[in-house]
Amino acid sequence: MEALQFDSLSTEIQAQYDLQKESFRSEHQVLKGVRKAIDERILIVEQKLYLGLPDDLAEMDRLIAEQEAIVADQEELNENELALLEKMSQSDISYGKKLAALDQSKSNRELPLKSKLDRQLSQVALAQKQNTFRTNILSIVVILLIPIILDYIAYLLGLNGKTDTRLIFSHYVFLIAFIVIEFFFAEKIKNIVSTFLAKKQCKSFLSEISASLDNIEKAKRKLNVNRH
């Protein structure tokens, strides 16, 4: 998510810079056209002067006025070219500063992201410990509950003999069922309980991941829009 946001901002900065450069290129082409036109005017004046000074005073005044206009236009052109160079320089500086700020913001986010990742990994480790603890508790309950139920059924059916004692360990059905389950089914019961608890925990994690994926897809769509 952070990588996509960084890429999106980087693309946006680059697009703005490219747009400015295209504008500068267009402006430069206009100035080149102006300079070409001034050069042609200078050439015409020089050709007229090459033939000698005109005898007609009106023509001479027009020639002098044209020279003065050319000088004024040259000065204006020089100012416009300097202004364009200044804007290009400022654009480059601004572009560099934005990239530097973006890189700095990325560096500043790396440590919090690492801490966040560490916290999430700690949550996973804690969930594993809790799953193991709950599995042991529930497995013990199940392993004890099944023999108790079987013993109670045997008691109702009179299969425990005529003993009237209520001590559970004096009931042979309970002891036999407990031993059989402990030796042959205990591990399977633990696996079933563990899988059940793990699935519940995974659903919780998957819900969080799904929300993150939705945010990533939104960031991708935004990035694609910026690129096009």
Side-chain angles (χ1 to χ4, degrees):
M1 183 66 182
E2 291 294 334
L4 283 171
Q5 289 178 346
F6 177 83
D7 198 6
S8 177
L9 290 173
S10 178
T11 301
E12 184 176 350
I13 292 173
Q14 185 65 48
Q16 292 176 351
Y17 180 63
D18 291 341
L19 188 63
Q20 287 180 333
K21 287 198 300 182
E22 185 62 32
S23 175
F24 294 150
R25 278 194 289 267
S26 298
E27 190 173 346
H28 183 242
Q29 288 298 321
V30 172
L31 293 179
K32 284 176 67 177
V34 173
R35 180 167 292 281
K36 182 179 180 181
I38 291 176
D39 290 340
E40 291 175 351
R41 289 165 61 191
I42 292 173
L43 181 61
I44 293 172
V45 171
E46 288 178 346
Q47 288 176 344
K48 289 181 179 180
L49 291 175
Y50 179 75
L51 298 176
L53 295 175
D55 296 331
D56 187 353
L57 293 179
E59 181 64 23
M60 176 65 75
D61 288 340
R62 283 195 295 272
L63 197 59
I64 293 173
E66 176 65 7
Q67 287 179 317
E68 292 176 349
I70 289 174
V71 171
D73 290 343
Q74 282 180 320
E75 291 177 351
E76 182 180 359
L77 176 62
N78 291 335
E79 290 177 358
N80 290 336
E81 287 178 337
L82 289 174
L84 177 58
L85 289 174
E86 179 65 21
K87 287 192 293 184
M88 292 173 65
S89 176
Q90 290 298 326
S91 176
D92 290 339
I93 293 173
S94 176
Y95 174 67
K97 287 183 178 179
K98 288 180 180 179
L99 288 182
L102 185 61
D103 287 336
Q104 184 62 43
S105 65
K106 182 181 179 181
S107 299
N108 291 338
R109 288 196 301 266
E110 284 180 353
L111 185 59
L113 282 174
K114 186 178 184 302
S115 299
K116 182 179 180 180
L117 178 60
D118 290 340
R119 288 196 302 271
Q120 291 174 335
L121 292 176
S122 297
Q123 289 177 354
V124 174
L126 179 61
Q128 289 177 327
K129 291 181 180 179
Q130 290 176 343
N131 182 67
T132 301
F133 176 77
R134 292 169 181 171
T135 296
N136 292 333
I137 296 299
L138 289 178
S139 297
I140 292 174
V141 171
V142 172
I143 290 172
L144 289 175
L145 186 61
I146 293 175
I148 290 174
I149 293 174
L150 292 176
D151 187 82
Y152 181 69
I153 293 174
Y155 173 76
L156 294 177
L157 297 176
L159 299 177
N160 271 341
K162 297 181 178 181
T163 178
D164 293 328
T165 179
R166 295 185 179 182
L167 294 176
I168 196 66
F169 292 107
S170 64
H171 294 198
Y172 295 110
V173 173
F174 171 84
L175 292 175
I176 294 172
F178 176 77
I179 292 171
V180 171
I181 291 173
E182 180 64 29
F183 278 94
F184 297 101
F185 299 101
E187 194 63 32
K188 187 174 182 179
I189 290 173
K190 286 183 179 180
N191 289 335
I192 293 173
V193 173
S194 178
T195 300
F196 172 75
L197 294 176
K199 284 183 177 180
K200 289 186 63 177
Q201 185 62 58
C202 284
K203 285 182 180 179
S204 175
F205 284 145
L206 287 173
S207 177
E208 296 178 8
I209 293 172
S210 178
S212 297
L213 288 175
D214 289 340
N215 291 332
I216 289 174
E217 287 301 322
K218 292 178 182 177
K220 283 183 177 179
R221 288 194 292 269
K222 179 181 177 182
L223 180 58
N224 290 332
V225 168
N226 289 337
R227 285 175 172 172
H228 292 87

